[in-house]
Amino acid sequence: MTKSQADVVRVALEILDEHGADAVSLRAIAQRLGVRMNTVLWHAKSKARLAELMADAIVAGASLDDLPRDWHERAAEIVRRYREALLAHRDGAAVVAGTYAAEPATLDTAEALVQALLDGGLPPREAAWTCWSLIYFTLGLAQEEQSLPERSLSHPSVGERPALRSVFSFLSEESFDERFEFGVTKLLARR
């Protein structure tokens, strides 16, 4: 049976979800598909290209249907859906953060977010930079959230750092949903 690029990406995401980013390889995909490496390389060309395709498939999980009309709520909802798409796959944020995927789903998500910001009256430069700030914030927080089970449960000592000691309980909270909403609210503060 002939395999397609979609088959290669689907299997790559299956391996990602089952075993994590480190287990995804062109060889592992070929073995799972029951094909030669050349077949996988025909569709993915390289591990970097495979990562771009995987990243775009992950971002494609962020539906752009039925978004709110208000620019502020629309932008916040797009970023919420983006985060959910990242968290839907084991190491999803790490895969997406490790690429610069100029692929359809990634570009569509950026288009929708930038349009919402432009609709809110942001000048083009500010809309672009706010878009990047929202994306980078979301990627970073999602990576932290996804890596949490692998981290030690003990908290490091901050030593003689009074400012850090005074806020440490807040820095070490695992309330990712609240931290996410706080950050999005700050980045989208109405002018």
Tab-separated table of all heavy atoms in Angstrom, residues 71-72 117 120 122 126 130 134 181-191:
chain	number	residue	atom	x	y	z
A	71	TRP	N	-12.901	41.696	18.933
A	71	TRP	CA	-11.487	41.425	18.646
A	71	TRP	C	-10.749	40.890	19.864
A	71	TRP	O	-9.938	39.972	19.749
A	71	TRP	CB	-10.789	42.691	18.122
A	71	TRP	CG	-10.467	43.694	19.193
A	71	TRP	CD1	-11.250	44.725	19.623
A	71	TRP	CD2	-9.280	43.746	19.983
A	71	TRP	NE1	-10.638	45.410	20.637
A	71	TRP	CE2	-9.413	44.837	20.883
A	71	TRP	CE3	-8.116	42.988	20.036
A	71	TRP	CZ2	-8.436	45.177	21.803
A	71	TRP	CZ3	-7.139	43.329	20.959
A	71	TRP	CH2	-7.305	44.412	21.831
A	72	HIS	N	-11.028	41.455	21.032
A	72	HIS	CA	-10.323	41.081	22.256
A	72	HIS	C	-10.633	39.636	22.633
A	72	HIS	O	-9.722	38.839	22.906
A	72	HIS	CB	-10.712	42.054	23.372
A	72	HIS	CG	-9.905	41.905	24.608
A	72	HIS	ND1	-10.278	41.069	25.626
A	72	HIS	CD2	-8.738	42.483	24.985
A	72	HIS	CE1	-9.380	41.138	26.585
A	72	HIS	NE2	-8.433	41.990	26.230
A	117	LEU	N	-6.086	41.371	16.220
A	117	LEU	CA	-5.357	42.496	16.823
A	117	LEU	C	-5.474	43.756	15.963
A	117	LEU	O	-5.636	44.858	16.499
A	117	LEU	CB	-3.891	42.108	17.025
A	117	LEU	CG	-3.674	40.930	17.983
A	117	LEU	CD1	-2.227	40.444	17.926
A	117	LEU	CD2	-4.074	41.279	19.404
A	120	GLY	N	-8.698	45.323	16.482
A	120	GLY	CA	-8.738	46.044	17.754
A	120	GLY	C	-8.055	47.399	17.680
A	120	GLY	O	-7.974	48.107	18.687
A	122	LEU	N	-4.804	47.979	16.782
A	122	LEU	CA	-3.351	47.998	16.956
A	122	LEU	C	-2.690	48.327	15.623
A	122	LEU	O	-3.107	47.808	14.583
A	122	LEU	CB	-2.838	46.649	17.454
A	122	LEU	CG	-2.848	46.409	18.968
A	122	LEU	CD1	-4.249	46.324	19.504
A	122	LEU	CD2	-2.088	45.150	19.289
A	126	GLU	N	2.731	46.776	16.147
A	126	GLU	CA	2.287	46.339	17.478
A	126	GLU	C	1.467	45.051	17.388
A	126	GLU	O	1.573	44.176	18.241
A	126	GLU	CB	1.480	47.448	18.148
A	126	GLU	CG	1.203	47.169	19.607
A	126	GLU	CD	0.534	48.336	20.323
A	126	GLU	OE1	0.591	49.470	19.827
A	126	GLU	OE2	-0.048	48.077	21.386
A	130	THR	N	2.658	41.803	19.278
A	130	THR	CA	1.731	41.241	20.267
A	130	THR	C	1.423	39.789	19.908
A	130	THR	O	1.365	38.927	20.798
A	130	THR	CB	0.442	42.079	20.352
A	130	THR	OG1	0.784	43.424	20.716
A	130	THR	CG2	-0.529	41.510	21.377
A	134	LEU	N	2.243	36.715	22.438
A	134	LEU	CA	1.232	35.735	22.848
A	134	LEU	C	1.660	34.310	22.511
A	134	LEU	O	1.513	33.398	23.330
A	134	LEU	CB	-0.108	36.052	22.181
A	134	LEU	CG	-0.843	37.272	22.728
A	134	LEU	CD1	-1.883	37.765	21.735
A	134	LEU	CD2	-1.469	36.959	24.083
A	181	GLU	N	-4.253	32.472	31.795
A	181	GLU	CA	-5.262	33.535	31.649
A	181	GLU	C	-4.717	34.886	32.114
A	181	GLU	O	-4.993	35.912	31.492
A	181	GLU	CB	-6.545	33.173	32.407
A	181	GLU	CG	-7.324	32.030	31.786
A	181	GLU	CD	-7.849	32.312	30.376
A	181	GLU	OE1	-8.104	33.491	30.022
A	181	GLU	OE2	-7.994	31.348	29.602
A	182	PHE	N	-3.938	34.896	33.190
A	182	PHE	CA	-3.321	36.136	33.669
A	182	PHE	C	-2.413	36.725	32.590
A	182	PHE	O	-2.482	37.915	32.274
A	182	PHE	CB	-2.521	35.865	34.949
A	182	PHE	CG	-1.791	37.063	35.469
A	182	PHE	CD1	-2.434	37.982	36.288
A	182	PHE	CD2	-0.462	37.285	35.135
A	182	PHE	CE1	-1.764	39.105	36.769
A	182	PHE	CE2	0.230	38.406	35.607
A	182	PHE	CZ	-0.437	39.314	36.429
A	183	GLY	N	-1.550	35.903	32.003
A	183	GLY	CA	-0.633	36.377	30.991
A	183	GLY	C	-1.341	36.895	29.751
A	183	GLY	O	-0.979	37.951	29.209
A	184	VAL	N	-2.342	36.159	29.279
A	184	VAL	CA	-3.092	36.602	28.096
A	184	VAL	C	-3.790	37.924	28.383
A	184	VAL	O	-3.772	38.833	27.549
A	184	VAL	CB	-4.087	35.505	27.635
A	184	VAL	CG1	-5.033	36.039	26.578
A	184	VAL	CG2	-3.331	34.295	27.103
A	185	THR	N	-4.381	38.044	29.565
A	185	THR	CA	-5.055	39.290	29.929
A	185	THR	C	-4.078	40.460	29.919
A	185	THR	O	-4.388	41.539	29.403
A	185	THR	CB	-5.723	39.154	31.316
A	185	THR	OG1	-6.702	38.113	31.240
A	185	THR	CG2	-6.371	40.433	31.756
A	186	LYS	N	-2.889	40.259	30.473
A	186	LYS	CA	-1.887	41.324	30.498
A	186	LYS	C	-1.423	41.687	29.084
A	186	LYS	O	-1.277	42.866	28.752
A	186	LYS	CB	-0.668	40.912	31.341
A	186	LYS	CG	-0.929	40.862	32.820
A	186	LYS	CD	-1.200	42.252	33.346
A	186	LYS	CE	-1.329	42.236	34.850
A	186	LYS	NZ	-1.674	43.552	35.376
A	187	LEU	N	-1.185	40.674	28.263
A	187	LEU	CA	-0.707	40.942	26.902
A	187	LEU	C	-1.776	41.576	26.017
A	187	LEU	O	-1.443	42.282	25.060
A	187	LEU	CB	-0.183	39.655	26.264
A	187	LEU	CG	1.142	39.157	26.841
A	187	LEU	CD1	1.414	37.719	26.400
A	187	LEU	CD2	2.282	40.068	26.415
A	188	LEU	N	-3.044	41.336	26.331
A	188	LEU	CA	-4.138	41.903	25.545
A	188	LEU	C	-4.838	43.049	26.267
A	188	LEU	O	-5.976	43.367	25.950
A	188	LEU	CB	-5.167	40.814	25.206
A	188	LEU	CG	-4.756	39.769	24.192
A	188	LEU	CD1	-5.837	38.703	24.055
A	188	LEU	CD2	-4.443	40.413	22.850
A	189	ALA	N	-4.146	43.651	27.228
A	189	ALA	CA	-4.766	44.738	27.997
A	189	ALA	C	-5.336	45.787	27.042
A	189	ALA	O	-4.681	46.229	26.117
A	189	ALA	CB	-3.729	45.382	28.922
A	190	ARG	N	-6.597	46.130	27.279
A	190	ARG	CA	-7.256	47.136	26.435
A	190	ARG	C	-6.605	48.491	26.641
A	190	ARG	O	-6.245	48.866	27.738
A	190	ARG	CB	-8.740	47.200	26.768
A	190	ARG	CG	-9.469	45.938	26.400
A	190	ARG	CD	-10.969	46.115	26.631
A	190	ARG	NE	-11.647	44.842	26.544
A	190	ARG	CZ	-12.328	44.460	25.474
A	190	ARG	NH1	-12.394	45.234	24.431
A	190	ARG	NH2	-12.944	43.306	25.462
A	191	ARG	N	-6.506	49.188	25.561
A	191	ARG	CA	-5.859	50.516	25.605
A	191	ARG	C	-6.878	51.593	25.824
A	191	ARG	O	-7.924	51.637	25.410
A	191	ARG	CB	-5.092	50.740	24.311
A	191	ARG	CG	-3.854	49.877	24.364
A	191	ARG	CD	-3.412	49.480	22.976
A	191	ARG	NE	-2.225	48.679	23.065
A	191	ARG	CZ	-2.213	47.410	23.421
A	191	ARG	NH1	-3.285	46.788	23.748
A	191	ARG	NH2	-1.096	46.741	23.460
